[in-house]
Amino acid sequence: MANTENIKNEENIVGTDYVHETYLNMHKEEMQEDLKEDKFYNYFYNLLETGSNFCKFSNAKLVKSIDEEWVTAIEEAMPSLHYVITHPRKFIEEDREVVNVAMARNITTESIRHLLQHSNLIDEYKEDGTVIPNRILNVFKEESLNIYENRFICTLVAELQYFVNKRFNSIFEASKDEVGTFFEMESRVDNYTEVIEYNLSVKIKEKQTDVNNETENANIFARIVKIHQQINMLAATEFIGTMRRYPAVSHPIVKTNAIGKNKDYKACHKLWNFIHSYNRVGYKVNIVKQEPIISRQFERDIYNTLIRDYTMLHNNMEFHNEIDIDRPPKEKEMDAKQIRQLLDEIVRNTELSDSNLRKLIVKELTDIQSKRKAELAEQARIQRRKMREIQKNQAASQNASAYQEAGREGSQELKAAEKSGGVGDKISRMRQKRRERQTNRKEKKK
């Protein structure tokens, strides 16, 4: 049921909350006012309040906090890293080998000089000065990427990929199973002629892996997604694939001329030192849970849902019991849940400061408890007085009965003495015995 305060709060909603609008439409105040006059609604609501109800409500949300230092450091070095990968350093690698003349591909002046110095490689000298060798020095020259700077870049990409992927997966996957809203209700209502058992379970889970769902810190999340994509694209380039066949370098890095003077390699060296010195996690994921206090408004909505479902089923039952609503309402006892609801309403609807509210509650609670103790003491005193009066009346009744019994016994003894003679002595003895019995009763009574 939407109260006036909820309707006023609608004006403060930023943007359009369509779910809230639907809630207000389904719980219009005039509709709830009509229900207050409904006899069955009030009858059944009383049964729910005094019945056996169990409700469990939890609402958890991930709050992610990112350390921008590592994101910024990678972003600053990414252009230089991209440049040195697309423009790698190369050197000319020569391979010298004496091969059969038929296999020689590149004859250079160095090959001629080598042949002149090794006459054993010559088979024949012709008259026209032609020399026919059987073997000759072949010099292979080709470009190679196997230099220290390139192996440094390949190792940097591998370690950076691990560094980024680990944090990316943790940030967007952590604790996703614990996030969401869960509501469960179990109710058992004794409707005099029938017993109603009601079970309801609702679970709402957010898609935490979808970056588009992150409304807070959207900028930093977008930056992390971007560098995650970039580093994985660089790791898949042909240059990195070629360099993986060569040995990786280890920390610390040797500052060659290129690494010490070239601005791009200097930026990559700076990033290398950063990720090796960065010993923090770089992110923080907290699970913030809503306080599991079911307010009176929420409780009213829950009961309304149960009544709606019951009336819906009852209306579609071909055979159903007629319900007698002219029964006295059941008394509702105050329990811990209702005390928490009451305190929750006080805190939400007061303008007092926390300290003043705490003092006021403690003072009023102390006064009420003192008055209640005095009332209980007075009730106990009255009860004790009544018990004493009852005991006194019971004792007097017992004494009267004893006296009557003693009189009957004395009359019988007197009659017997008259018959047997010696009446005077026997009467004296009977009177003596009677006085002794009275004395004993008084002592017992004391």
Side-chain angles (χ1 to χ4, degrees):
M1 185 175 98
N3 54 24
T4 307
E5 182 181 357
N6 288 338
I7 296 175
K8 291 181 178 179
N9 290 337
E10 185 184 14
E11 301 175 356
N12 300 325
I13 298 176
V14 179
T16 303
D17 189 342
Y18 295 105
V19 177
H20 184 69
E21 287 186 355
T22 303
Y23 173 84
L24 294 178
N25 291 331
M26 294 178 64
H27 300 78
K28 290 183 178 180
E29 189 169 356
E30 54 269 22
M31 184 185 301
Q32 302 303 318
E33 291 296 330
D34 293 339
L35 286 176
K36 291 180 180 179
E37 305 299 327
D38 189 283
K39 292 183 178 181
F40 174 77
Y41 176 84
N42 293 323
Y43 162 78
F44 204 86
Y45 198 95
N46 173 253
L47 295 180
L48 288 174
E49 284 188 313
T50 56
S52 175
N53 300 304
F54 168 78
C55 292
K56 182 179 180 181
F57 172 65
S58 64
N59 186 20
K61 178 183 179 182
L62 281 185
V63 177
K64 303 175 183 178
S65 176
I66 311 299
D67 180 13
E68 294 190 32
E69 184 181 4
W70 65 272
V71 180
T72 303
I74 296 175
E75 286 175 338
E76 291 176 351
M78 194 58 67
S80 297
L81 183 61
H82 183 270
Y83 181 82
V84 297
I85 289 176
T86 54
H87 300 83
R89 295 175 65 84
K90 302 177 182 178
F91 80 103
I92 303 300
E93 185 177 32
E94 292 185 352
D95 186 14
R96 302 179 181 188
E97 183 180 6
V98 177
V99 298
N100 193 292
V101 174
M103 298 179 62
R105 296 182 180 181
N106 187 21
I107 306 298
T108 63
T109 56
E110 188 174 356
S111 301
I112 301 301
R113 286 196 299 271
H114 182 272
L115 184 62
L116 293 176
Q117 294 172 357
H118 299 81
S119 58
N120 61 316
L121 300 178
I122 300 175
D123 281 347
E124 181 182 358
Y125 292 96
K126 291 187 177 182
E127 294 180 356
D128 60 357
T130 302
V131 177
I132 300 177
N134 57 8
R135 296 171 66 81
I136 194 169
L137 176 67
N138 192 18
V139 180
F140 297 95
K141 292 185 178 181
E142 61 180 357
E143 291 183 339
S144 175
L145 298 173
N146 185 19
I147 59 175
Y148 183 81
E149 289 83 356
N150 290 340
R151 290 191 290 120
F152 155 64
I153 295 299
C154 180
T155 309
L156 173 60
V157 169
E159 296 197 4
L160 187 60
Q161 186 182 28
Y162 173 79
F163 182 92
V164 172
N165 288 350
K166 179 180 178 181
R167 285 159 175 78
F168 179 88
N169 294 335
S170 298
I171 291 170
F172 294 107
E173 296 290 338
S175 305
K176 63 180 181 180
D177 293 335
E178 302 180 33
V179 177
T181 303
F182 177 75
F183 176 77
E184 181 181 10
M185 178 183 180
E186 295 180 4
S187 182
R188 189 176 187 276
V189 181
D190 185 358
N191 188 19
Y192 296 102
T193 59
E194 60 187 7
V195 175
I196 302 155
E197 294 183 354
Y198 186 85
N199 297 307
L200 176 65
S201 178
V202 180
K203 192 170 187 178
I204 304 172
K205 291 184 65 176
E206 296 182 4
K207 294 181 179 180
Q208 292 297 320
T209 56
D210 188 355
V211 179
N212 295 327
N213 290 336
E214 302 287 356
T215 55
E216 299 178 1
N217 301 321
N219 181 43
I220 185 65
F221 290 147
R223 292 164 60 190
I224 293 174
V225 171
K226 183 178 179 180
I227 63 175
H228 174 262
Q229 294 173 345
Q230 288 178 337
I231 191 60
N232 283 282
M233 289 176 60
L234 292 177
T237 58
E238 182 180 358
F239 167 74
I240 297 299
T242 302
M243 291 305 301
R244 287 198 181 102
R245 72 183 69 168
Y246 301 116
V249 301
S250 58
H251 185 74
I253 296 300
V254 178
K255 293 186 68 174
T256 62
N257 288 334
I259 294 176
K261 295 180 180 179
N262 184 283
K263 65 180 183 66
D264 294 318
Y265 282 97
K266 286 173 67 176
C268 293
H269 184 239
K270 180 181 177 182
L271 178 60
W272 173 281
N273 290 332
F274 175 81
I275 63 176
H276 278 80
S277 62
Y278 190 82
N279 53 10
R280 300 188 297 275
V281 178
Y283 62 91
K284 188 176 182 181
V285 179
N286 292 328
I287 299 179
V288 179
K289 294 186 177 181
Q290 179 178 346
E291 289 293 331
I293 297 178
I294 297 180
S295 65
R296 289 190 179 182
Q297 176 63 47
F298 192 12
E299 183 182 71
R300 189 177 297 113
D301 292 339
I302 295 170
Y303 289 166
N304 286 345
T305 300
L306 199 157
I307 296 174
R308 181 203 62 193
D309 292 343
Y310 176 82
T311 54
M312 175 191 65
L313 291 174
H314 199 274
N315 188 58
N316 288 277
M317 291 165 56
E318 185 175 354
F319 307 105
H320 58 265
N321 297 326
E322 295 297 331
I323 299 176
D324 181 12
I325 64 174
D326 295 326
R327 299 178 184 270
K330 296 183 178 181
E331 295 294 331
K332 180 181 178 182
E333 295 182 357
M334 182 72 71
D335 56 12
K337 180 191 73 173
Q338 291 156 349
I339 294 174
R340 284 196 298 270
Q341 290 176 346
L342 182 60
L343 290 174
D344 181 63
E345 290 184 4
I346 292 174
V347 172
R348 292 179 183 274
N349 299 324
T350 185
E351 296 181 356
L352 295 174
S353 63
D354 292 345
S355 58
N356 291 337
L357 179 60
R358 189 179 297 108
K359 291 178 182 178
L360 177 62
I361 291 177
V362 171
K363 180 181 179 300
E364 293 297 327
L365 180 60
T366 303
D367 293 343
I368 293 172
Q369 288 177 332
S370 299
K371 292 179 181 178
R372 181 57 179 165
K373 288 179 181 179
E375 291 176 358
L376 293 175
E378 179 64 19
Q379 292 175 3
R381 187 184 66 81
I382 295 172
Q383 186 66 21
R384 288 195 300 270
R385 187 179 65 184
K386 289 181 178 179
M387 289 298 298
R388 285 197 299 267
E389 291 177 354
I390 292 173
Q391 292 173 357
K392 183 178 179 181
N393 293 334
Q394 289 177 348
S397 176
Q398 291 175 358
N399 290 336
S401 300
Y403 290 149
Q404 291 175 1
E405 181 67 23
R408 286 194 297 270
E409 292 178 357
S411 299
Q412 292 174 358
E413 291 179 358
L414 181 59
K415 291 178 181 178
E418 290 177 350
K419 292 180 180 179
S420 61
V423 177
D425 294 338
K426 291 184 178 180
I427 291 175
S428 298
R429 287 195 298 270
M430 289 171 56
R431 290 176 177 173
Q432 180 64 28
K433 289 181 180 181
R434 187 181 299 174
R435 284 194 295 269
E436 289 176 358
R437 285 197 295 266
Q438 291 177 354
T439 302
N440 292 333
R441 290 194 191 97
K442 289 180 180 181
E443 289 178 355
K444 290 180 179 180
K445 184 177 179 181
K446 291 179 179 180

